[in-house]
Amino acid sequence: MTDSEMARMTRVLSGLPAAARELLRETDWAAHRHAYGSAEDIPASLCSLVDEDPEVRSAALAALDMGVLHQGSLYTVTAPAALFVAAILDHPVSLTEHEGYFPWDDGPPRSLRAALLGWLGQVAESAAYGEDPTRDRANWEWQPWHEGRRGGERDSDVLAALQACRGIRPALYDAVEPFLSSRDPHVRETALGAAVPLLHAPALADRIPRAAALLRARLGAMTGRRERAAVARALSLWGTDTSDLLADTDPAVRVCAALGPVRVDRPRALAVLLDALRDPRATDGWFPEPLCGVEGRFRFTVLRSALDLAASFEEVAPVAIAMVAAGDRSFVDNENGPILYRAFPGGYDGAHTLTTAQRALLRAFVDTDEATGSIGGNWLWFRAAGLPETREGVAALL
């Protein structure tokens, strides 16, 4: 390390909050691992998050994305790194504008604080995965063959990383909650995006009423679709009563209020979701920049929630079959497959006659197969549903 680098590091260390300095000093970083090996290089990256040079800060945040939370995977270093990030959310440098590091990082300008909150939200999402199978199945990326993978043997380091990240969620939430009331809309949004998965933790269930009351108190003063919809989604995913929001004048808010494990007014919530799926392209256009925690096309999240909320396939069949019949081959895993799997929840049983809805769905697959490859492209889903994996095999059932 050069003299100038040492001087810069000294300045950074002296400006860190006491909790952050203590983490750096007491953590045995060399004993931890990240995606590329030993985590002994991570302290330098963490300190660089508050460097005076914006390019250094951006590279440090990229190191968190690439190494500490590589493609959503947790490592033994993830928990202490996340605690450090939580400790510096109040650092003066966090108010500076964050510059994207990757070519695809072309979102709206935001502060470093918003970027750090967004990263903590991703850590929380990864920590929550597998904790509640019902919630996982409503995720737009869930696939039935994931079940076996989750239930298999896990490496001891993977288990240790998961347990550590789940164990720090109370501390992370305590750091995030104050920013739910930030004056900066991007900070409020990313703080809410982090709070949603953090409050999935069973140990934090008692924090939900306070968080919900905080959001409810501000909801009446909100005018923008994006923020109101994000709040409705949070309240719904936390299992609070959002029945009043199902009648909101904005269809995006109505849909977001119906996305969670609805405890009140299930039929109306399902009707709201199905109405949005009748014009999926319009629904996709509600949020040009995806809401925090909602990746992919918005219709995928709406569809999974509708399929999960329906008491039977017959409740969603008209809309679901119309989506398959539309013949969009781009949405195999995210649209057609989940619909098929919901129609045969226990797997196809040749001893039982197909229902009218099941027959109509399979006919839609057969009729669109020649043009879109709707059966061949969905073969893993057909296999998971216990059905033939070829057009001829499916047609023989009709």
Side-chain angles (χ1 to χ4, degrees):
M1 183 179 293
T2 65
D3 290 344
S4 61
E5 289 173 333
M6 289 183 66
R8 184 183 67 185
M9 186 62 71
T10 299
R11 288 197 304 274
V12 168
L13 289 172
S14 64
L16 287 176
R21 288 199 304 271
E22 185 176 350
L23 270 166
L24 287 177
R25 183 176 62 252
E26 296 188 355
T27 302
D28 184 1
W29 299 98
H32 290 291
R33 306 283 294 179
H34 55 56
Y36 304 105
S38 171
E40 59 188 343
D41 59 333
I42 291 302
S45 294
L46 294 176
C47 289
S48 295
L49 288 170
V50 292
D51 193 275
E52 58 197 26
D53 186 334
E55 292 187 2
V56 173
R57 294 196 300 270
S58 292
L61 189 58
L64 292 184
D65 286 335
M66 292 187 297
V68 179
L69 191 68
H70 181 67
Q71 296 181 353
S73 296
L74 301 174
Y75 302 90
T76 57
V77 75
T78 308
L83 288 172
F84 181 93
V85 168
I88 64 169
L89 289 174
D90 259 334
H91 194 284
V93 174
S94 70
L95 298 175
T96 59
E97 188 170 301
H98 166 62
E99 295 185 7
Y101 183 83
F102 300 108
W104 55 85
D105 188 8
D106 57 354
R110 56 180 179 167
S111 66
L112 175 64
R113 177 176 291 163
L116 294 175
L117 285 164
W119 186 80
L120 288 176
Q122 293 171 27
V123 172
E125 290 278 4
S126 294
Y129 186 78
E131 203 167 31
D132 183 345
T134 300
R135 186 175 65 233
D136 290 344
R137 283 194 290 273
N139 184 286
W140 73 277
E141 293 182 298
W142 181 87
Q143 296 167 335
W145 44 94
H146 287 173
E147 290 290 330
R149 189 182 309 165
R150 184 172 58 227
E153 292 291 325
R154 276 178 167 162
D155 179 89
S156 59
D157 279 354
V158 173
L159 282 173
L162 178 61
Q163 291 166 0
C165 288
R166 288 179 176 176
I168 64 170
R169 287 182 293 189
L172 296 186
Y173 182 74
D174 287 343
V176 166
E177 188 187 62
F179 298 104
L180 293 174
S181 303
S182 171
R183 294 182 179 181
D184 183 331
H186 294 304
V187 169
R188 286 198 306 272
E189 179 178 357
T190 50
L192 182 57
V196 168
L198 285 170
L199 290 185
H200 287 330
L204 291 177
D206 62 339
R207 311 279 188 97
I208 290 176
R210 171 186 164 94
L214 188 156
L215 296 180
R216 282 282 188 179
R218 293 188 9 249
L219 187 59
M222 297 177 187
T223 57
R225 159 178 281 181
R226 185 178 182 86
E227 185 166 21
R228 296 185 70 247
V231 167
R233 173 178 175 266
L235 295 172
S236 182
L237 292 179
W238 290 335
T240 66
D241 182 3
T242 55
S243 54
D244 61 317
L245 297 176
L246 296 175
D248 196 88
T249 56
D250 190 327
V253 174
R254 294 198 298 269
V255 166
C256 285
L259 291 178
V262 178
R263 299 175 180 174
V264 179
D265 213 347
R266 186 195 69 85
R268 188 156 62 116
L270 180 58
V272 165
L273 296 174
L274 292 177
D275 189 54
L277 292 171
R278 290 186 174 91
D279 189 357
R281 286 185 173 81
T283 298
D284 285 341
W286 288 342
F287 306 109
E289 177 75 17
L291 294 176
C292 287
V294 182
E295 298 181 6
R297 293 177 182 262
F298 190 58
R299 69 164 83 174
F300 300 157
T301 292
V302 177
L303 174 62
R304 293 294 183 113
S305 294
L307 296 176
D308 182 63
L309 189 58
S312 67
F313 179 66
E314 280 67 23
E315 282 194 305
V316 298
V319 171
I321 292 169
M323 294 176 78
V324 173
D328 196 327
R329 67 182 304 166
S330 303
F331 305 143
V332 170
D333 284 333
N334 304 315
E335 205 162 271
N336 292 351
I339 289 171
L340 179 75
Y341 193 73
R342 183 65 183 86
F344 296 89
Y348 169 67
D349 183 353
H352 294 87
T353 303
L354 292 172
T355 67
T356 300
Q358 289 172 332
R359 189 176 297 276
L361 176 64
L362 294 182
R363 172 56 62 190
F365 273 105
V366 169
D367 289 347
T368 59
D369 185 68
E370 189 170 338
T372 67
S374 63
I375 295 174
N378 283 275
W379 69 272
L380 281 172
W381 288 95
F382 274 83
R383 175 180 292 180
L387 289 160
E389 300 167 24
T390 64
R391 183 176 189 272
E392 295 73 21
V394 174
L397 302 178
L398 302 175

